[in-house]
Amino acid sequence: MDESNNTKTKKGLISEDDVALVLRRYNAPTVLAVLREVAQFPDVKIDWNALVKKTSTGISNAREYQMLWRHLAYCDMLGEKVEEAEPLDDDSDLEYELEAFPPVSDEASVEAAACVKVMLASGLPDDSGPPNRATVEAPLTINIPNGQATRDPSDNPQPSCSKGTNITVSVSVQKQPLPTVTTAEGLDGSGSAAGGLPARRKRKPWTLEEDMELIAAVQKCGERNWANILKGDFKGERTASQLSQRWSIIRKRQANSNPGGVSNPTGSQLSETQLATRNALSLALNMPEYSSLSAVGATNLVTPAVPAASTEAAVVSGAPLEANTKSTASNIVSHQNQQAPLQTATSLPKATSNTTATKSRVTTKKPTSFPVKSPVGPNPMIQAAAVAAGARIATPSTAKSHLKAAQSKNAVHIRPGGNPLIKPSVPGGTKPVAPRPNVHYIRTGLTSASPPASTYSTVVPSILPPPAVTAQVPSVSAHTSASCGTPAEGKSTNVITTGGVGSSSKEEEVKPAEEMNVDCAADVVQDSGQGDQAALPDTEMVTENPTAENLGNSSKVVADENVPMDVDNNQIESETAKKMNSPAAN
Amino acid sequence: MDESNNTKTKKGLISEDDVALVLRRYNAPTVLAVLREVAQFPDVKIDWNALVKKTSTGISNAREYQMLWRHLAYCDMLGEKVEEAEPLDDDSDLEYELEAFPPVSDEASVEAAACVKVMLASGLPDDSGPPNRATVEAPLTINIPNGQATRDPSDNPQPSCSKGTNITVSVSVQKQPLPTVTTAEGLDGSGSAAGGLPARRKRKPWTLEEDMELIAAVQKCGERNWANILKGDFKGERTASQLSQRWSIIRKRQANSNPGGVSNPTGSQLSETQLATRNALSLALNMPEYSSLSAVGATNLVTPAVPAASTEAAVVSGAPLEANTKSTASNIVSHQNQQAPLQTATSLPKATSNTTATKSRVTTKKPTSFPVKSPVGPNPMIQAAAVAAGARIATPSTAKSHLKAAQSKNAVHIRPGGNPLIKPSVPGGTKPVAPRPNVHYIRTGLTSASPPASTYSTVVPSILPPPAVTAQVPSVSAHTSASCGTPAEGKSTNVITTGGVGSSSKEEEVKPAEEMNVDCAADVVQDSGQGDQAALPDTEMVTENPTAENLGNSSKVVADENVPMDVDNNQIESETAKKMNSPAAN
DNA sequence: CACTAGGGATAGGGTTGG
DNA sequence: TCCAACCCTATCCCTAGT
């Protein structure tokens, strides 16, 4: 209707009715939009016509727009209809002050102010302020009356809320609207207002399938050609960079997959490489440590496929166990059928659990107070190996560094003193196991070298984790002791012979000459205890250093009471079949 | 002694005894070293003398060295003593193949092979291959017999293990030996056994101040820049990681505390910012949702300082409540004095509790069987808002994005149809509350704009969580309904007027011109029920969608039976006082 | 341009004290 | 039992170097 122009007034009151009136005509968003737009108007002198042109309120009439604003700002009467096209003059605007009527309580005011502040701030145009700023800020002064708001309508607050205290806060908000709102990637389109932060791509854990794919691809194309892999073999949605990164992690893991748990509780201390080496050596050398939970059903758990790092849950599956093997020590033993379903590229992650691996004898016991801490997740490498299917796991160069490390370290040699170490390990237990000798050999390769790599007496290079907690799996102990000439217990022996130069299995793109074939069958036996492992001496010994976090580099060895041990500082060099990587082979 | 030259033989068997024999004389590392060194020998024809010169095994006699190798490779007899200086000829080496005897199980073979592979690979000399390579790689072919290895010694595997399948993988290992072995630096000395675990840092609960600081900082710098926050705004002794963690907890809480739980149960979907905005908007707009537990002692709890997000326990204190407000819903109301102790950068965390806030009217009732599930502890966000005091709440941009989001979303406008929503909210209850009108206003700022931002009819941008569980606090219901022109019930009305351009409080680093002052007092009233909330209709309504996890972006609204609502798709822009962030101001 | 190596900064999960 | 603090690893991102 007609407007009682309060504009020039110094003070004014705004009541429920006023607000109600406004809201009857405009919805809150519109109201807020007007406030924001006006607030953002760059010039002191407001150009209503200009504002209306760009308003998001839907209001097209400058007069109406101004009227609304005036009502909001000064409780101007809200004309029912807008006849005049031209907005009124805004003189004195800056002098005006509006107060709520009846007075508002302190709390409410503060609350409202804060909220409004945020809302208003939200409205800042993207282009205002430093274009690249990720955040926008604005000060907010809130006046908090000291006393309770009186119910008396006549109670006129002093100008500027003199009654209370002013609190000034700056409100800042990140520009990007609905950051990370997007579930996966694709959703970006929904794009809320601001273009804000690049919104870090949603973290997408690598799935077993992806790992397999990657490994296979690397085997085929080599480590460097991420681009090629991306184009050809790898189907997942990953960038070359990610592939590269993942690859490095896979390598690391291989290292970590290692048994001990004892060794490097703190984890980080030893390089993955070391851990890997350690692991490998432990296995190869048949560390007595693993002997711990020997007794019960020695033949219970058999991990066919690969060096299932002792402690780690022997989750060997080429299939998508969904990688959720994460829990520390799940004792899962799967029989690996060869040529596991290495899903061809097309399959996406989480996907299909086309697992062929079968969990056998899974001991899910998760002893709560198990001293040893399990390192990490399933080792992709192992998985891959398990899945195998011609996947290549790494470049020769990588492997090399391991032994290097081992070499330079102190070797701990535990010799079969009075008691054959093997004893405690395997047979020891209460219940005799399957008649199976538990003696494992690796047949030599085709042509050349093939020496027994391991151990009658257990030799432990310092890099190897001291014999210790082997079991991540409480009730199940991975057992891999090697005994050769001394069938002391006649059980748990591993003999490793390697060799064979010439014969190379015609692999995809690997130069035959450079390859080494290790034609053999490895056998890992995990004895699943029956819950009474505690009774086993070995286990306890090992378990003694539950937290053992200080091993670090020092070659700390936990010896079995029955097994005397030596610590040698000799540098160790292991050798293998000739020609491996020998230039001549090329 | 004398050597039975098996070298020329095509096949051979290696038994435990053989291995044991070797290991009696040489330790495993030595054995491995030999294998490795030989394997690495660049030439096809092995120069034993040369090898011995560089060997790391300690063996100085070429003959001995060769003998050992031969034993390893072909089970040559291991001479007890080495008289001859000159090594024998190696003819036919390549044709030889050694097998384990007794046969090895598949699993063991695989495992062992893998391990050996790694070890051997590890031994590759640094100088071989690219000098700078960080990793060593080598292909490994493992033959996996199809069947169980027979125990029969006579079981001669076909050359190349034709029996099984060949799996070729390349093994790679990182070179670096024992990197990073050092524990933390300083603490090492204390080192228990091994130099000691860094001993998990003493657990240090977050104080209210820290939360505030964090929230403010995040508002200012954004969620991602923990590092920046750490450098600039956050004074506490926390790591970026901790900030991040804490932030996530805060978000959780907020999310939970927030009414609905309805909205974004999945959490992640909405950015924290959004959540914050949502919260703010809810408050600002006086969502009816909060009306739930109105009745009892409406005037009991008063949260002076800020938008004490309804549901959350209104723990508002600028002081160190020792943050142990953790229990889910403690109804603590503190009066916030202005200019809260926004500690200037220099002050360190935990520090001074220069709190001026006083707790008033604390209702500690904690009804056990409250229908609504109380999520978590006090919502820091709310606390922060409450404490307000110079805390920065958000950058305009963030807020902006919020609004943006809100704009692009469907706005839900609940109009006072037949029944004023307010009714159910506030007064509704069973017991009439204090005479207090529950009408809140925000006085306008100094100079310019100042429109009622909220709500006669309640407007709910989609980003706002649907009205829902408001109470974290069982017996207490936060009540913040807004009604303006329609004093339908004459209760629970909130009017928000903002405005004032020119006057800017001289903030730290904010350009005055760009600032907007909102001089006003906010009032939040929380009615503490008396344990009979269940009887309250509102509460139930809200609580209906306890789990409601599908809100996401969609504007899902839970309407009160009595309140008709509209859903607008209008894009909304809120406006505010002029000049805010206007370039001209600069 | 394609990759790798490193460094940083979280995001997420597991672990543990309270 | 549950949650908050912690710790650790995995991803992602960015930069420099090859």
Side-chain angles (χ1 to χ4, degrees):
Chain A
M1 327 296 195
D2 71 334
E3 30 194 334
S4 58
N5 206 319
N6 305 353
T7 316
K8 308 301 180 187
T9 315
K10 281 291 184 183
K11 294 180 183 177
L13 294 176
I14 184 169
S15 67
E16 292 183 4
D17 289 347
D18 296 319
V19 178
L21 182 62
V22 175
L23 290 169
R24 280 207 183 107
R25 189 180 300 183
Y26 305 98
N27 61 32
T30 299
V31 171
L32 290 173
V34 170
L35 288 173
R36 184 166 57 73
E37 290 171 5
V38 173
Q40 291 167 6
F41 197 75
D43 218 346
V44 174
K45 179 67 178 176
I46 296 174
D47 179 346
W48 299 102
N49 291 309
L51 271 175
V52 169
K53 285 180 181 177
K54 300 187 296 179
T55 185
S56 62
T57 59
I59 298 174
S60 57
N61 184 298
R63 184 71 189 81
E64 179 184 2
Y65 191 96
Q66 180 192 38
M67 195 164 66
L68 172 56
W69 186 81
R70 284 195 171 200
H71 177 75
L72 297 174
Y74 325 114
C75 265
D76 248 19
M77 285 302 284
L78 207 51
E80 290 194 352
K81 189 168 185 178
V82 184
E83 307 94 50
E84 312 154 66
E86 284 308 298
L88 306 176
D89 180 43
D90 293 320
D91 293 343
S92 305
D93 272 5
L94 301 182
E95 303 305 323
Y96 195 79
E97 186 177 342
L98 195 61
E99 282 186 53
F101 172 84
V104 191
S105 68
D106 305 3
E107 313 82 37
S109 296
V110 174
E111 176 182 346
C115 295
V116 170
K117 182 59 194 293
V118 173
M119 292 186 286
L120 293 178
S122 300
L124 292 177
D126 289 348
D127 37 61
S128 72
N132 297 323
R133 262 341 228 79
T135 61
V136 184
E137 307 170 21
L140 166 62
T141 298
I142 301 174
N143 175 279
I144 300 178
N146 293 327
Q148 283 284 99
T150 42
R151 306 271 167 277
D152 181 359
S154 62
D155 176 42
N156 295 335
Q158 298 73 19
S160 290
C161 297
S162 59
K163 194 179 184 179
T165 326
N166 284 319
I167 295 176
T168 300
V169 295
S170 77
V171 177
S172 68
V173 188
Q174 290 183 311
K175 279 186 177 177
Q176 183 167 32
L178 308 176
T180 324
V181 174
T182 56
T183 10
E185 327 71 86
L187 303 183
D188 277 17
S190 63
S192 44
L197 333 187
R200 179 174 277 235
R201 197 179 311 186
K202 181 77 177 174
R203 146 184 284 224
K204 191 175 69 175
W206 279 71
T207 64
L208 220 162
E209 287 72 38
E210 286 178 311
D211 276 346
M212 294 305 187
E213 227 181 303
L214 174 59
I215 292 169
V218 171
Q219 300 297 337
K220 183 180 176 185
C221 309
E223 293 181 57
R224 299 292 186 64
N225 311 305
W226 302 118
N228 292 335
I229 290 176
L230 222 43
K231 294 171 187 170
D233 302 77
F234 196 80
K235 313 303 178 196
E237 290 186 353
R238 301 285 185 177
T239 65
S241 189
Q242 287 176 312
L243 293 185
S244 177
Q245 274 184 179
R246 181 57 184 174
W247 183 248
S248 74
I249 288 178
I250 287 177
R251 282 188 298 182
K252 280 185 188 173
R253 277 203 190 152
Q254 181 186 19
N256 293 332
S257 65
N258 118 18
V262 173
S263 55
N264 187 15
T266 317
S268 58
Q269 298 310 41
L270 296 176
S271 71
E272 306 67 20
T273 303
Q274 292 183 322
L275 292 177
T277 300
R278 188 185 277 189
N279 193 31
L281 289 176
S282 295
L283 290 171
L285 299 177
N286 293 305
M287 292 296 285
E289 335 152 2
Y290 299 104
S291 57
S292 44
L293 312 172
S294 55
V296 192
T299 52
N300 281 348
L301 303 175
V302 177
T303 308
V306 182
S310 55
T311 62
E312 277 284 327
V315 180
V316 178
S317 68
L321 278 182
E322 193 31 82
N324 291 328
T325 351
K326 44 179 155 180
S327 65
T328 40
S330 53
N331 313 317
I332 302 173
V333 178
S334 59
H335 283 282
Q336 170 67 42
N337 291 334
Q338 56 177 169
Q339 295 293 24
L342 174 144
Q343 309 187 345
T344 49
T346 49
S347 66
L348 283 181
K350 299 197 163 187
T352 62
S353 59
N354 47 8
T355 304
T356 53
T358 55
K359 299 177 183 178
S360 59
R361 303 187 184 89
V362 176
T363 305
T364 318
K365 293 178 184 176
K366 219 176 181 178
T368 46
S369 62
F370 198 71
V372 180
K373 171 188 175 184
S374 72
V376 269
N379 184 328
M381 223 58 153
I382 294 173
Q383 294 169 20
V387 175
R392 304 198 154 201
I393 297 182
T395 59
S397 62
T398 327
K400 175 192 244 174
S401 56
H402 276 270
L403 260 221
K404 269 297 170 81
Q407 297 172 20
S408 59
K409 299 302 174 180
N410 297 327
V412 176
H413 190 164
I414 301 175
R415 290 175 182 285
N419 312 321
L421 31 149
I422 300 156
K423 172 180 179 177
S425 315
V426 180
T430 328
K431 311 170 184 179
V433 188
R436 191 132 154 277
N438 284 336
V439 178
H440 315 302
Y441 296 90
I442 295 178
R443 303 201 250 336
T444 58
L446 299 177
T447 43
S448 59
S450 58
S454 72
T455 127
Y456 164 31
S457 50
T458 307
V459 177
V460 185
S462 67
I463 55 168
L464 290 178
V469 180
T470 88
Q472 275 245 329
V473 182
S475 55
V476 178
S477 71
H479 176 205
T480 338
S481 68
S483 67
C484 192
T486 338
E489 299 306 301
K491 302 176 183 178
S492 300
T493 310
N494 271 331
V495 176
I496 302 173
T497 47
T498 65
V501 174
S503 73
S504 60
S505 59
K506 43 292 166 196
E507 272 291 299
E508 310 86 311
E509 313 173 14
V510 181
K511 302 148 199 134
E514 294 182 355
E515 297 181 340
M516 171 188 79
N517 290 314
V518 178
D519 298 331
C520 51
D523 190 10
V524 177
V525 179
Q526 291 183 320
D527 301 347
S528 72
Q530 295 184 359
D532 40 22
Q533 299 83 358
L536 299 176
D538 290 323
T539 303
E540 294 182 275
M541 166 194 85
V542 175
T543 332
E544 277 183 334
N545 291 294
T547 46
E549 306 207 0
N550 307 324
L551 267 190
N553 294 325
S554 63
S555 53
K556 183 177 183 178
V557 178
V558 178
D560 185 293
E561 298 88 346
N562 302 320
V563 182
M565 64 179 184
D566 303 338
V567 177
D568 302 339
N569 288 320
N570 302 331
Q571 289 205 332
I572 307 163
E573 293 269 354
S574 61
E575 300 183 2
T576 182
K578 316 171 187 176
K579 291 185 180 177
M580 193 166 164
N581 277 329
S582 66
N586 287 335
Chain B
M1 326 313 189
D2 74 333
E3 28 195 336
S4 56
N5 207 318
N6 304 354
T7 315
K8 309 301 180 187
T9 314
K10 280 291 182 183
K11 294 180 183 177
L13 294 175
I14 183 169
S15 68
E16 291 183 2
D17 288 348
D18 297 320
V19 177
L21 182 62
V22 176
L23 290 169
R24 281 206 183 107
R25 189 179 300 181
Y26 305 97
N27 62 31
T30 299
V31 171
L32 290 173
V34 171
L35 288 173
R36 183 167 59 71
E37 289 171 5
V38 173
Q40 291 167 5
F41 197 74
D43 216 347
V44 174
K45 179 67 180 176
I46 296 175
D47 180 345
W48 299 102
N49 291 309
L51 271 175
V52 169
K53 287 180 180 176
K54 301 188 294 181
T55 185
S56 62
T57 58
I59 297 174
S60 56
N61 184 299
R63 183 71 188 80
E64 178 184 3
Y65 191 95
Q66 181 193 36
M67 195 164 65
L68 172 55
W69 186 81
R70 284 195 170 200
H71 177 75
L72 297 174
Y74 325 114
C75 265
D76 249 18
M77 286 301 285
L78 205 53
E80 289 195 354
K81 189 167 185 179
V82 184
E83 306 95 48
E84 312 153 66
E86 284 307 297
L88 305 176
D89 180 43
D90 292 320
D91 293 342
S92 306
D93 273 4
L94 301 181
E95 301 305 322
Y96 196 79
E97 184 178 344
L98 195 61
E99 281 185 54
F101 172 85
V104 191
S105 70
D106 304 4
E107 311 82 39
S109 295
V110 173
E111 177 182 344
C115 295
V116 170
K117 182 61 193 294
V118 172
M119 291 186 287
L120 293 178
S122 298
L124 293 177
D126 288 347
D127 36 62
S128 71
N132 296 324
R133 262 347 224 79
T135 60
V136 184
E137 306 170 24
L140 166 61
T141 298
I142 301 173
N143 174 279
I144 300 178
N146 293 327
Q148 282 285 99
T150 42
R151 305 273 168 271
D152 181 359
S154 62
D155 177 41
N156 295 334
Q158 298 73 18
S160 293
C161 296
S162 59
K163 195 178 184 180
T165 322
N166 283 318
I167 295 177
T168 301
V169 296
S170 76
V171 176
S172 67
V173 188
Q174 291 184 312
K175 282 184 177 178
Q176 184 170 35
L178 306 176
T180 329
V181 175
T182 57
T183 9
E185 328 61 272
L187 304 181
D188 277 17
S190 65
S192 42
L197 348 185
R200 196 173 260 240
R201 200 178 310 182
K202 183 79 178 174
R203 162 178 282 227
K204 190 176 68 174
W206 278 70
T207 64
L208 220 162
E209 286 70 39
E210 286 178 311
D211 276 345
M212 295 305 189
E213 226 181 318
L214 174 59
I215 293 168
V218 170
Q219 302 296 339
K220 180 181 177 186
C221 308
E223 295 179 52
R224 300 290 188 58
N225 311 306
W226 302 119
N228 292 336
I229 289 176
L230 222 42
K231 295 172 186 170
D233 301 75
F234 195 80
K235 314 305 177 197
E237 288 186 353
R238 300 285 185 176
T239 65
S241 190
Q242 288 176 311
L243 293 185
S244 177
Q245 276 182 182
R246 183 58 183 173
W247 183 248
S248 72
I249 289 177
I250 290 175
R251 280 188 301 178
K252 277 186 194 170
R253 282 189 182 166
Q254 183 186 12
N256 292 333
S257 66
N258 116 0
V262 174
S263 55
N264 187 16
T266 316
S268 57
Q269 298 312 39
L270 296 176
S271 69
E272 306 66 22
T273 305
Q274 290 184 322
L275 292 177
T277 301
R278 186 187 277 190
N279 195 29
L281 289 175
S282 295
L283 291 171
L285 299 177
N286 293 304
M287 293 295 285
E289 333 149 3
Y290 299 105
S291 57
S292 43
L293 313 172
S294 56
V296 192
T299 53
N300 281 348
L301 301 175
V302 178
T303 306
V306 185
S310 54
T311 63
E312 277 287 327
V315 180
V316 179
S317 70
L321 278 181
E322 193 29 81
N324 291 328
T325 352
K326 43 179 157 184
S327 63
T328 39
S330 53
N331 313 320
I332 302 172
V333 179
S334 61
H335 284 280
Q336 171 67 44
N337 289 335
Q338 58 172 166
Q339 295 294 23
L342 174 145
Q343 309 187 345
T344 48
T346 49
S347 63
L348 283 181
K350 298 198 163 187
T352 62
S353 59
N354 45 10
T355 303
T356 54
T358 57
K359 299 177 184 179
S360 59
R361 301 189 185 92
V362 177
T363 305
T364 319
K365 293 178 186 177
K366 225 178 182 176
T368 47
S369 62
F370 197 57
V372 178
K373 171 187 175 185
S374 70
V376 269
N379 183 328
M381 221 61 150
I382 293 172
Q383 293 171 19
V387 176
R392 300 193 162 207
I393 298 183
T395 57
S397 64
T398 315
K400 172 192 250 173
S401 56
H402 281 228
L403 262 220
K404 271 297 173 82
Q407 295 172 22
S408 59
K409 299 301 176 181
N410 297 325
V412 177
H413 189 164
I414 301 176
R415 290 176 182 285
N419 314 320
L421 32 148
I422 301 153
K423 171 180 180 179
S425 317
V426 179
T430 326
K431 311 170 184 179
V433 186
R436 193 131 154 279
N438 282 338
V439 178
H440 313 303
Y441 295 91
I442 294 178
R443 303 199 251 333
T444 59
L446 299 176
T447 41
S448 58
S450 58
S454 70
T455 124
Y456 164 28
S457 48
T458 306
V459 177
V460 185
S462 66
I463 57 168
L464 290 177
V469 182
T470 89
Q472 275 244 326
V473 182
S475 55
V476 179
S477 72
H479 175 203
T480 337
S481 68
S483 69
C484 192
T486 337
E489 299 307 303
K491 301 176 182 178
S492 299
T493 310
N494 270 333
V495 176
I496 301 173
T497 48
T498 64
V501 174
S503 73
S504 61
S505 60
K506 42 293 167 197
E507 271 290 299
E508 311 85 312
E509 315 171 10
V510 180
K511 301 150 199 131
E514 295 181 353
E515 298 180 339
M516 171 188 81
N517 291 313
V518 179
D519 298 330
C520 51
D523 191 10
V524 177
V525 178
Q526 292 183 318
D527 301 347
S528 71
Q530 295 185 358
D532 42 20
Q533 298 83 358
L536 299 177
D538 290 322
T539 302
E540 296 182 275
M541 166 195 86
V542 174
T543 333
E544 278 184 333
N545 292 294
T547 48
E549 309 208 357
N550 309 322
L551 265 189
N553 294 327
S554 64
S555 52
K556 184 176 184 177
V557 179
V558 178
D560 185 292
E561 299 87 346
N562 302 319
V563 183
M565 64 180 184
D566 303 337
V567 177
D568 302 339
N569 290 319
N570 302 331
Q571 288 207 332
I572 306 161
E573 293 269 354
S574 62
E575 299 182 3
T576 181
K578 315 171 187 176
K579 292 184 181 177
M580 193 165 164
N581 277 330
S582 66
N586 288 334

